[in-house]
Amino acid sequence: MQTWRDGRAKATDASEAIRAALSSLGVPESAWSGIRPTVTYNGLAYVHLGMLPADVVEQMAEAIRITETSAH
């Protein structure tokens, strides 16, 4: 049970992180309200992103590209 709880906490933290990142990009909550933490029966943490508008995904991709470029 503790493994599942730890996985849930990890998935929740990751969900909050992506929500905060999208919010900082100016993406309205209505666009990412479907993001939710998910955990498997054996404790593996996942984040379900659901359906996101294409323009939001483009913003995410651009932010990742900028981060990758500045890291090199």
Side-chain angles (χ1 to χ4, degrees):
M1 188 65 171
Q2 187 61 45
T3 302
W4 188 90
R5 285 188 191 120
D6 292 345
R8 180 68 179 188
K10 187 175 181 179
T12 299
D13 290 347
S15 295
E16 291 300 322
I18 193 69
R19 288 179 185 135
L22 290 171
S23 181
S24 74
L25 289 173
V27 176
E29 184 177 351
S30 60
W32 47 262
S33 61
I35 293 174
R36 65 183 188 276
T38 305
V39 63
T40 64
Y41 71 93
N42 59 351
L44 293 175
Y46 289 92
V47 175
H48 180 80
L49 298 177
M51 288 180 49
L52 297 170
D55 62 326
V56 170
V57 175
E58 288 292 336
Q59 284 181 278
M60 292 169 65
E62 182 62 25
I64 292 168
R65 283 191 291 270
I66 289 169
T67 303
E68 288 176 347
T69 302
S70 65
H72 295 305

